[in-house]
Amino acid sequence: MGDGADRLSNGVAGLIAMTATFALAIAPAPAQEAETFYKGRTLSLIVSSDAGGGFDTYTRTLGRHIARHIPGTPKIVVQNMPGAGSLTALNYISNIATRDGTVFSDADSTMPFYTLFEGANSRFDPLKLNWIGSISSQLGVCIAWHASSFKTLDDAMARPMKLGATGTAGWRFTLPRLYNIVAGSKFEVILGYNATQIFLAMERGETDGACVTYDTLLATKSDLLRQNKLTILAQFGLQPAAGLEQVPLALDRIGDPADRAAMELILSQQLTGRPYVAPPDVPAPRLQALRAAFDATMSDGEFRADAEKRLLVIDPMTSDKMRALLDKAYAARPETVARARALMARASRK
């Protein structure tokens, strides 16, 4: 009886194994499923700001190369969806965009942390969005037009300095206003310009300067830097950046330890730099394919050469590292988060 039971048990086990093997044979692998889906399709890659700016340059460069790394080699169409420092695009991605893996977007570096610090007018949960990766980290700098009377950070600490900005949700608006609160600078932010108009306003003398990202300057205004028409007054990183060792580190002017800790948490958003994101609930094989394609593009020789020609900084972060950074930020000490939120709330008021 024992031998018969053993034979029956072995037979059942063999049948189960054969069934499982057959199921695996007929079930498409994730890469095959993604290739079948993407072949012949058109993907929308959204730029969350105006044409002509740094985000537009980076994202259109990515769009020229990423398709050949996506299974099925779909067509990529880039479209601009500016508004409120990426908020418009992220609300669209989270609530309106199709969730089948045919739409993804760039985002301002503040968006992965947006609900941690502020969340005004947001209709998305950063921890439920599908982050794909980041092209590079960012560094905020405040600059002055060469013909203005502002030559050093001390000048902006001593008297009002007019800065151009777009909306109230991006670094151009919040960074100088935060610094007014924690360090006593006298930046006056003037809204209503797009990315291109900000520099035209400086040339016309309407404004004295702007707070922008350093890689945007390198990518879009390298001629002005070479001609010494722009002066970098301060850098807003956690530590001095290579090549900017002589530029004051803004954090060093913050005297209150609690304010400095809060600002360090706020500025850590720059580490995600130029992130890319897909909607929630994208099928796993397609999300995996997008993430793998992004990572492959970052080391693609043609992409790198194209980026170098356009003076783009490529310092990528994978989706896994992005998630680890977000988890750490959202687990920060409650008192530091509370102080950061209070500062962001004050800085965001018109």
Side-chain angles (χ1 to χ4, degrees):
M1 176 132 180
D3 290 342
D6 288 343
R7 286 194 297 272
L8 178 60
S9 176
N10 290 338
V12 171
L15 180 60
I16 292 173
M18 289 176 61
T19 301
T21 301
F22 179 73
L24 288 174
I26 63 174
Q32 292 174 325
E33 181 178 338
E35 181 173 6
T36 299
F37 176 79
Y38 282 123
K39 189 173 183 179
R41 289 186 182 267
T42 298
L43 276 61
S44 294
L45 175 53
I46 294 171
V47 181
S48 60
S49 63
D50 299 285
F55 280 96
D56 189 66
T57 303
Y58 272 86
T59 297
R60 290 183 183 277
T61 303
L62 175 69
R64 285 192 291 274
H65 298 275
I66 192 172
R68 63 176 174 271
H69 297 287
I70 300 175
T73 320
K75 182 180 178 181
I76 302 286
V77 174
V78 180
Q79 60 187 91
N80 293 80
M81 190 180 293
S86 291
L87 193 57
T88 298
L90 266 289
N91 282 337
Y92 171 82
I93 282 289
S94 186
N95 298 280
I96 300 174
T98 179
R99 300 184 175 195
D100 62 357
T102 58
V103 182
F104 62 113
S105 175
D106 68 18
D108 189 270
S109 62
T110 61
M111 289 296 104
F113 304 81
Y114 190 63
T115 57
L116 176 66
F117 297 124
E118 182 183 358
N121 301 315
S122 66
R123 293 186 290 112
F124 63 89
D125 181 345
L127 298 181
K128 292 182 180 179
L129 291 171
N130 286 309
W131 298 99
I132 295 172
S134 174
I135 285 186
S136 70
S137 59
Q138 287 185 316
L139 172 68
V141 294
C142 285
I143 59 174
W145 185 246
H146 70 104
S148 79
S149 63
F150 295 87
K151 308 302 180 185
T152 68
L153 179 58
D154 288 332
D155 293 332
M157 305 292 288
R159 60 185 186 277
M161 178 180 182
K162 294 179 180 180
L163 305 178
T166 51
T168 60
W171 286 116
R172 294 186 184 100
F173 181 79
T174 57
L175 189 59
R177 289 168 64 91
L178 279 167
Y179 206 59
N180 288 349
I181 298 168
V182 299
S185 55
K186 292 179 171 55
F187 294 121
E188 293 183 356
V189 183
I190 301 173
L191 297 174
Y193 299 104
N194 64 30
T196 301
Q197 292 169 342
I198 284 175
F199 288 90
L200 293 176
M202 284 188 271
E203 292 186 41
R204 292 193 297 257
E206 295 174 13
T207 60
D208 301 303
C211 289
V212 296
T213 58
Y214 185 51
D215 61 333
T216 293
L217 283 182
L218 294 177
T220 65
K221 300 299 175 183
S222 60
D223 55 333
L224 298 181
L225 288 171
R226 287 194 303 269
Q227 296 165 15
N228 294 318
K229 290 187 176 181
L230 298 174
T231 301
I232 302 177
L233 303 181
Q235 55 178 313
F236 288 82
L238 300 179
Q239 57 188 12
L244 296 179
E245 291 83 1
Q246 303 306 312
V247 177
L249 188 68
L251 283 174
D252 291 342
R253 299 289 188 97
I254 302 174
D256 187 306
D259 282 348
R260 174 154 184 155
M263 281 295 291
E264 287 176 349
L265 180 60
I266 291 169
L267 293 178
S268 70
Q269 297 172 92
Q270 295 181 118
L271 297 176
T272 58
R274 297 187 179 275
Y276 289 80
V277 62
D281 305 324
V282 173
R286 300 169 202 170
L287 178 61
Q288 179 181 339
L290 291 176
R291 286 172 169 167
F294 182 88
D295 293 344
T297 305
M298 294 301 100
S299 59
D300 181 295
E302 292 183 29
F303 168 75
R304 287 271 180 168
D306 196 1
E308 183 177 356
K309 181 175 64 177
R310 300 171 194 282
L311 301 178
L312 306 185
V313 176
I314 307 301
D315 181 23
M317 179 182 289
T318 65
S319 59
D320 288 342
K321 289 184 178 180
M322 273 196 68
R323 183 65 196 212
L325 182 63
L326 291 183
D327 288 342
K328 180 179 179 181
Y330 279 85
R333 296 175 62 180
E335 58 269 32
T336 301
V337 174
R339 183 59 179 155
R341 283 178 175 173
L343 291 173
M344 291 292 290
R346 287 180 61 188
S348 297
R349 296 191 192 108
K350 291 185 180 179

